[in-house]
Amino acid sequence: MVHSILTLCALPQVLACAAEVTQWGVFEASYESTKTYAKPFTDLEVNVAFRSGNKQWIVPAFWAGAGKWIVRFAPPVQGDYTFRVTCSDPSNNGLNGDEQSLRVTAYTGDNPLLTHGFLRVSANRRYFEHADGTPFFWLGDTWWKCLCKRMTWEGFQELTADRRAKGFSVVQIVCGVYPDEGVFEPRWENEGGKPYLTRDFTVVNPKYFEHADQRIQCLVNAGIVPAIVGGWGRGDCDGMVMAGVAGIKRHWRNLIARYGAYPTIWIIGGESGGPEWTEVARYVQQIDPYHHPSTMHPFDSGRSRVTDETVISFDMLQTGHGGWPAAQTVIPKLKAAYDREPAMPVM
């Protein structure tokens, strides 16, 4: 999925380079810090501003280990762009650079996610559509723990091919605290280890996310939208207790930096809710330059789990796991959610 890579040297003035990528493809650029930080993941924030005409996208970059930072950008329109890196430390010459140039051309492949563009809520707020107005049908599968090594890479590819052949368009997958498991269990690991090395999410493990990258890209390459869950909020696996609002926000900044350039959907937290999770949802809304559709995976209704409904863009229902008795309650729950105002798509 990465269509173009541009490496920028850590010089006092970053050299100008031209690059090219297709519309909705992933443009990737890397930068090297000229300074050393004790905790770069928490001590520094790096952004890259992309501009085309009078439009601008502020894209967070992610720490990739050592002194390396990477930005991923999916240009929504064709044409000529400029981009410039800045960071929260103005004295870091490697992470504050001159403007660079980017040329964006038409996509000519057959992946519907790139042909039609990212997802959004329709103007009447009743369904999902692509950026070009093509309606999108959500046929989803739940692979909560498939970013860990209990699902092998070979198995992941096999399962992806199977779901693609059956017409699935979405896979719901957790990247963070897993449900139904204790804190920092070995079962969290993928081939690169655990996502974090400390329980408060202050020391990230880039190797974990490199392997997660491979799987997220596999889904997108198959034309399947990853609906990424940023952790869980239930008592036995509560990421908010582990990391607090600040830690969960950092986690989401990392997810947006890594996966925002893909046609994703954000599920802010599983079985989560209340003022703190609402604050996180608002933060995601503010820093996501693409405004991907977002919601909460609830105990009941996603919009009932936030204290401000404007921080999510669609309602997700959890209607039960009890077979036919649960199935009989689905229609009245769905109708009640659909009738609520203001209107939202209901899953």
Side-chain angles (χ1 to χ4, degrees), residues 28-165:
E28 184 173 294
S30 65
Y31 304 87
E32 289 289 337
S33 173
T34 54
K35 297 177 65 175
T36 300
Y37 300 89
K39 293 183 177 181
F41 182 64
T42 58
D43 292 349
L44 205 62
E45 287 192 354
V46 179
N47 292 307
V48 180
F50 290 83
R51 293 183 179 87
S52 178
N54 60 358
K55 295 181 180 179
Q56 176 175 269
W57 298 264
I58 304 296
V59 184
F62 62 88
W63 180 63
K68 187 176 183 180
W69 293 78
I70 292 176
V71 66
R72 292 173 179 160
F73 176 61
V77 296
Q78 298 174 41
D80 293 324
Y81 288 70
T82 60
F83 63 98
R84 180 176 180 269
V85 64
T86 59
C87 78
S88 52
D89 179 358
S91 68
N92 190 322
N93 292 331
L95 300 178
N96 292 278
D98 294 334
E99 282 194 345
Q100 310 296 304
S101 299
L102 177 66
R103 170 65 59 83
V104 179
T105 58
Y107 173 72
T108 58
D110 59 1
N111 188 322
L113 302 179
L114 304 184
T115 300
H116 301 297
F118 287 178
L119 300 184
R120 66 188 184 192
V121 173
S122 63
N124 67 357
R125 302 196 60 79
R126 284 305 189 190
Y127 60 92
F128 299 106
E129 64 182 17
H130 291 275
D132 68 355
T134 301
F136 175 81
F137 180 68
W138 179 315
L139 178 60
D141 203 7
T142 301
W143 305 0
W144 282 153
K145 303 175 187 181
C146 281
L147 292 184
C148 71
K149 63 185 178 184
R150 284 174 282 174
M151 169 59 76
T152 65
W153 169 230
E154 293 74 21
F156 192 96
Q157 294 175 88
E158 180 182 353
L159 187 58
T160 299
D162 176 86
R163 294 305 190 260
R164 178 184 182 182

Side-chain angles (χ1 to χ4, degrees), residues 69-285:
W69 293 78
I70 292 176
V71 66
R72 292 173 179 160
F73 176 61
V77 296
Q78 298 174 41
D80 293 324
Y81 288 70
T82 60
F83 63 98
R84 180 176 180 269
V85 64
T86 59
C87 78
S88 52
D89 179 358
S91 68
N92 190 322
N93 292 331
L95 300 178
N96 292 278
D98 294 334
E99 282 194 345
Q100 310 296 304
S101 299
L102 177 66
R103 170 65 59 83
V104 179
T105 58
Y107 173 72
T108 58
D110 59 1
N111 188 322
L113 302 179
L114 304 184
T115 300
H116 301 297
F118 287 178
L119 300 184
R120 66 188 184 192
V121 173
S122 63
N124 67 357
R125 302 196 60 79
R126 284 305 189 190
Y127 60 92
F128 299 106
E129 64 182 17
H130 291 275
D132 68 355
T134 301
F136 175 81
F137 180 68
W138 179 315
L139 178 60
D141 203 7
T142 301
W143 305 0
W144 282 153
K145 303 175 187 181
C146 281
L147 292 184
C148 71
K149 63 185 178 184
R150 284 174 282 174
M151 169 59 76
T152 65
W153 169 230
E154 293 74 21
F156 192 96
Q157 294 175 88
E158 180 182 353
L159 187 58
T160 299
D162 176 86
R163 294 305 190 260
R164 178 184 182 182
K166 292 173 178 174
F168 281 81
S169 58
V170 176
V171 160
Q172 301 175 168
I173 195 164
V174 177
C175 192
V177 178
Y178 288 126
D180 309 312
E181 296 186 6
V183 174
F184 262 58
E185 287 194 15
R187 293 186 296 172
W188 283 26
E189 296 178 358
N190 67 14
E191 296 84 349
K194 293 185 177 72
Y196 291 91
L197 304 182
T198 56
R199 298 189 180 197
D200 60 359
F201 287 17
T202 57
V203 183
V204 72
N205 176 15
K207 292 297 181 183
Y208 171 93
F209 289 96
E210 289 172 14
H211 287 280
D213 289 355
Q214 186 180 41
R215 299 187 182 207
I216 296 298
Q217 289 176 13
C218 178
L219 291 173
V220 175
N221 289 344
I224 297 173
V225 173
I228 298 175
V229 188
W232 224 258
R234 199 176 58 224
D236 59 335
C237 44
D238 193 341
M240 192 64 73
V241 171
M242 294 173 59
V245 171
I248 299 297
K249 284 183 177 179
R250 275 194 306 270
H251 174 61
W252 265 107
R253 181 180 174 86
N254 188 47
L255 294 184
I256 292 168
R258 281 190 173 270
Y259 307 125
Y262 298 102
T264 52
I265 290 168
W266 305 132
I267 301 178
I268 307 303
E271 295 180 337
S272 307
E276 292 179 322
W277 285 99
T278 302
E279 183 179 343
V280 172
R282 183 177 294 109
Y283 175 75
V284 170
Q285 186 182 69

